[in-house]
Amino acid sequence: MRHDVRRAFAAGISALVLALAGCTSGAPEDDGKDAAEGYDPNAKVTLTWWTGQSAEAQNILEGLAKEYQALHPNVTLNVSSGAATTDELLTKLSAGFTSGTYPDISYAYGSWATELGQSGRTQDLKAFVAEPATAWEEIPPAARATATVEGRVIGVPALVDNLGLIYNKKLFDAAGLPHPTDDWSWDDFRAAAKKLTDPSKNIYGTAYSVSGSEDTTWHLWPLLWQKGGRILDPGGAPAFNSDAGVAALEYLRQLAVVDKSMYLDQTDEKYAPLFYSGNVGMIISGPWVLYDLKEQKVDYGVSFLPGFDGNHETVSGPDLWVLLDHEDPNRAGAARDFVRWLTSKEIDAKWNLTFGNLPLRSSEQGTPEFAAYVKEYAPGAQKFFDNLANAKQPRPTVTGYVEMSRYVGEAISKVLQGAAEPKAALDDAAQRAKPALEDR
């Protein structure tokens, strides 16, 4: 399920950076020409599509490929997951860039957009997404921004998500606490976490990843934004070590070190299962856990993230269908037509909603498929869809983000384990990140 894909998220980042580092230096120059210029829609073409999905999702996508081919008999789609896991898929992409055997369309995490864009193998879809038929404006702004790398649009969002507060109703009732609401403040969250914590029963109020991965880092960004801070300044230099960033990390430090109400997960893998088993009262997570929550029969609720001064901003982690250039306008054009069809209102419902993901487009909200999805994944589905409105800023799609994220993740991990203070840790991360960001 979707969960299997997301679980590979953290490790894949470093794999991609290492893998692509060796190929970008030999990347072809961008001549500014549209890859699909001269495209003949009736030309016979064969496309390779790497989906990056596990078995169940793969079956759905292979069925959609057959449906598309029936409508377009001149197009052959060679569909595969590309690799056993998404991490391996990315390594294969890198090898394919070197050998010239890369696919026409590939699944990719949004955090990898910059590195993929720099490979020199991506199409620029700027003109394509401006066409009315693409209905680009129906996709959430943060997801569109993630697909845009330094002015080039390298893909179309494959799915959208966001972070919300998921809570265990039974633990709240047992503690005599009112359930969280969309209006909750940071103080409300902290007080509840403290009250829920019971060391004698091995119960923690909340949890946080301290693996130092992107999963560690991106949970900090909503707090930073809610305090009015920025990740980078307008010139592209680190700005996360501002007063706002320090306040955000100090808040987490109080939960972990002062209150000891936060379970610290060294792996990214344990905190969700501990929530399912009733050992953690609240987690900050996204719609990719809805399937597991249903399977585990957890009596849960979802609200917007706790906010500061009424700001409940969240972060989104959209993934992409990246379109790659083989210097063949018919392949480039056919790949665009297929992805436009795949991400259309009607077909996306057959993919994302069937699979438990949020709808990609705002226009899907009124469809029978969306109503069925909300009912099946209640109570979280509608709340996470509504929470897309709180995803107002994308993570930076700039060179050096991945390296910077690693330094920030390490800083957060040290602070939450009592080994550093927020200001010093973030200043050190900013200093270490500068060279990577200056190389843009």
Side-chain angles (χ1 to χ4, degrees), residues 173-396:
D173 293 343
L177 288 169
H179 295 178
T181 70
D182 292 341
D183 296 326
W184 256 27
S185 67
W186 289 15
D187 288 342
D188 292 327
F189 181 84
R190 183 182 177 187
K194 198 170 181 178
K195 187 75 181 290
L196 289 166
T197 299
D198 185 346
S200 69
K201 297 180 180 177
N202 200 29
I203 295 175
Y204 291 85
T206 188
Y208 201 99
S209 162
V210 289
S211 69
S213 68
E214 173 67 8
D215 199 37
T216 301
T217 300
W218 82 317
H219 280 74
L220 179 71
W221 297 146
L223 280 71
L224 170 77
W225 290 330
Q226 289 177 13
K227 288 288 287 185
R230 317 171 61 130
I231 298 173
L232 303 177
D233 70 17
F240 54 78
N241 55 330
S242 63
D243 289 347
V246 173
L249 185 51
E250 170 60 20
Y251 173 70
L252 295 177
R253 191 193 70 83
Q254 291 170 351
L255 285 159
V257 179
V258 178
D259 300 345
K260 302 187 186 308
S261 60
M262 177 181 276
Y263 172 79
L264 301 180
D265 185 354
Q266 303 282 349
T267 68
D268 295 344
E269 302 286 337
K270 294 180 179 177
Y271 65 91
L274 285 172
F275 177 79
Y276 305 150
S277 65
N279 292 98
V280 171
M282 301 179 286
I283 57 172
I284 305 299
S285 191
W288 55 89
V289 300
L290 294 178
Y291 176 84
D292 287 338
L293 288 166
K294 180 184 174 186
E295 290 294 299
Q296 298 290 331
K297 297 181 172 53
V298 180
D299 187 9
Y300 74 97
V302 179
S303 69
F304 296 160
L305 291 183
F308 181 83
D309 202 19
N311 182 349
H312 296 272
E313 195 163 349
T314 187
V315 62
S316 179
D319 299 336
L320 307 173
W321 297 122
V322 174
L323 273 64
L324 300 164
D325 185 7
H326 291 270
E327 300 184 355
D328 181 333
N330 288 331
R331 288 175 68 177
R336 293 181 188 189
D337 186 74
F338 171 67
V339 168
R340 174 181 282 163
W341 177 85
L342 178 69
T343 59
S344 66
K345 171 184 172 182
E346 294 77 14
I347 306 305
D348 183 63
K350 296 181 179 181
W351 153 235
N352 271 319
L353 295 182
T354 298
F355 199 50
N357 297 325
L358 294 178
L360 183 62
R361 297 180 177 277
S362 58
S363 57
E364 293 177 59
Q365 187 175 11
T367 63
E369 290 83 0
F370 182 76
Y373 161 78
V374 168
K375 183 178 180 181
E376 182 174 2
Y377 292 101
Q382 182 69 55
K383 183 62 67 175
F384 279 116
F385 179 78
D386 294 343
N387 199 30
L388 285 170
N390 290 317
K392 299 174 182 175
Q393 302 187 55
R395 283 172 287 176

Side-chain angles (χ1 to χ4, degrees), residues 99-123:
S99 64
T101 57
Y102 51 95
D104 297 277
I105 307 159
S106 180
Y107 187 84
Y109 293 131
S111 298
W112 305 332
T114 302
E115 280 70 20
L116 286 171
Q118 287 186 327
S119 72
R121 271 76 175 182
T122 55
Q123 293 192 41

Side-chain angles (χ1 to χ4, degrees), residues 33-48:
K33 182 180 176 182
D34 189 330
E37 185 177 330
Y39 163 53
D40 175 4
N42 297 312
K44 191 172 183 179
V45 297
T46 298
L47 302 177
T48 299

